[in-house]
Amino acid sequence: MRYCSILATFAALHQIAQGLNILITNDDGFGSANTRELYKQMTALGHDCYVVAPATDQSDMGGRVDFTSSATLTTNSGWDIIKAGAPAIGNDPNDSHIFYYNGTPAAQVMVALDYVLPTFANFSTPDLVLTGPNFGWNLGPFMYTLSGTVGAAYAAVERGIPAIAFSSGNSDQTPYYWVNASTKAGLQDPATITARLAANLAQALIKNAAGSRVLPLGYGITVNMPYITSHTSNQCINPPFVLTRMTGDAVIEKAVYDPKTKVFSYSNINAGGANKCINGDCSLPSETDVMNTGCMSSVTFFTVDYDAPYRATCDNATDVTTIIPIVVQLNGTTPPPGSGPNTTVVGQPPSMPSTSSPPRVTAIASSGVVVEWSLSALLFGLGIAVFSL
């Protein structure tokens, strides 16, 4: 057994040394400066990376899966990199690891997993999916379903692959060929810094895993990074990462009717439903508050298990079972009194399998600072992790 354990340890270390197989996508387009810089950073760290991203801007698509019905591009791709009439899926002219496809962000993940990687890469299932960094923040539960960046991430998580969605406060969409080695302030381009921060966080999590899954099955992470000031100053170029929750002061949209133009637009409002803390740790700061505070980045864990708990919510104010009709059986499938033989009864198993506690892991920041935490503390918010990468 000891010999097998040693072999397993060496195998895990070998996997880390060789790097992971990583898929990178986004919703802004395959020519995005942020995404190309992340691809460069992760490749430089020794990982085998492929980009499969939209031919054109596909923002605000959420988890929608749209496949093009045309075998060719009907318009030029974003930033005119690929011209109309070219195949609807293809390579970047200068890099065989970068693909575009004319579909939504979630569709990119599926096309990558089911066609591009099995056909053109030396792997078919990546160890990790990275989305973004998006141009602009994606904050709160509303953006969880609206954002194409996050939608691509939870499409990967639903397929059983760990995923991290990155979003940036620098919201001007820029192509990769606008990235400068340095700015007027003598600093790196914001896209480069944003990508470096994202890569450092991803690499810390990869090191934590030590050859195992980067995240537990069914879990993903959404990260929001602040506006990087490197064009003009060093005021915000190395923000710390803070463990957060989605709910709390997040906004959603409302419809605003203009009687003059007879059309609708939107405005932002706070809504109780989007800010009700149910499953997460209500003691954690909200990602919205953290991002509005200053030069910090939020790190929020999510799952694609949308079920709310049956019992009292985390603030212990409400027992949901008090509002569930009698026809729904919570502990077995015994039909309620008066039900006929054709009655369908919704129930749950009388007992659930127990789960073991996740192991402790250690994150190593790029600055050399070691931050140790329990993975369960991260996943379920038993504290606030703040560390600078």
Side-chain angles (χ1 to χ4, degrees), residues 176-385:
Y176 69 91
Y177 49 79
W178 283 10
V179 173
N180 296 315
S182 64
T183 66
K184 292 181 179 180
L187 302 166
Q188 288 182 318
D189 191 281
T192 303
I193 294 176
T194 297
R196 174 176 58 80
L197 291 166
N200 285 346
L201 179 61
Q203 186 68 3
L205 291 165
I206 290 168
K207 287 183 177 180
N208 294 344
S212 301
R213 286 181 59 93
V214 176
L215 296 172
L217 182 64
Y219 280 86
I221 301 176
T222 175
V223 178
N224 284 279
M225 294 174 283
Y227 181 85
I228 301 300
T229 62
S230 62
H231 273 309
T232 56
S233 75
N234 65 354
Q235 181 179 357
C236 186
I237 59 173
N238 192 31
F241 288 94
V242 182
L243 185 64
T244 54
R245 72 179 197 274
M246 286 188 188
T247 53
D249 292 324
V251 299
I252 65 169
E253 294 173 0
K254 64 177 288 187
V256 179
Y257 181 69
D258 187 333
K260 293 182 179 180
T261 61
K262 311 295 184 184
V263 298
F264 290 93
S265 60
Y266 72 87
S267 66
N268 293 328
I269 60 169
N270 288 96
N275 287 298
K276 174 62 177 175
C277 182
I278 298 174
N279 289 316
D281 184 340
C282 303
S283 69
L284 291 176
S286 76
E287 55 187 14
T288 301
D289 286 342
V290 165
M291 297 314 299
N292 288 330
T293 298
C295 186
M296 292 188 288
S297 299
S298 65
V299 179
T300 302
F301 284 76
F302 68 86
T303 77
V304 291
D305 179 1
Y306 298 106
D307 288 343
Y310 288 133
R311 299 297 175 181
T313 55
C314 66
D315 58 10
N316 294 318
T318 305
D319 189 338
V320 181
T321 59
T322 61
I323 59 173
I324 295 178
I326 186 68
V327 72
V328 178
Q329 302 297 302
L330 295 178
N331 297 294
T333 56
T334 303
S339 61
N342 296 322
T343 301
T344 300
V345 178
V346 180
Q348 69 176 20
S351 63
M352 300 295 290
S354 61
T355 56
S356 58
S357 299
R360 292 185 65 82
V361 293
T362 301
I364 303 177
S366 62
S367 61
V369 177
V370 177
V371 181
E372 186 176 8
W373 70 82
S374 163
L375 185 55
S376 61
L378 276 178
L379 298 181
F380 303 108
L382 300 180
I384 301 174

Side-chain angles (χ1 to χ4, degrees), residues 50-76:
Y50 278 77
V51 174
V52 182
T56 59
D57 183 11
Q58 293 283 331
S59 299
D60 300 335
M61 288 294 179
R64 178 175 175 177
V65 180
D66 278 354
F67 301 108
T68 181
S69 59
S70 173
T72 59
L73 295 179
T74 56
T75 61
N76 288 354

Side-chain angles (χ1 to χ4, degrees), residues 40-106:
K40 288 165 57 178
Q41 295 277 346
M42 296 306 295
T43 300
L45 287 168
H47 303 293
D48 190 6
C49 301
Y50 278 77
V51 174
V52 182
T56 59
D57 183 11
Q58 293 283 331
S59 299
D60 300 335
M61 288 294 179
R64 178 175 175 177
V65 180
D66 278 354
F67 301 108
T68 181
S69 59
S70 173
T72 59
L73 295 179
T74 56
T75 61
N76 288 354
S77 74
W79 300 288
D80 296 327
I81 299 171
I82 306 295
K83 302 301 183 182
I89 184 169
N91 279 113
D92 179 273
N94 300 311
D95 195 322
S96 62
H97 279 225
I98 299 176
F99 286 77
Y100 67 86
Y101 172 65
N102 193 21
T104 57

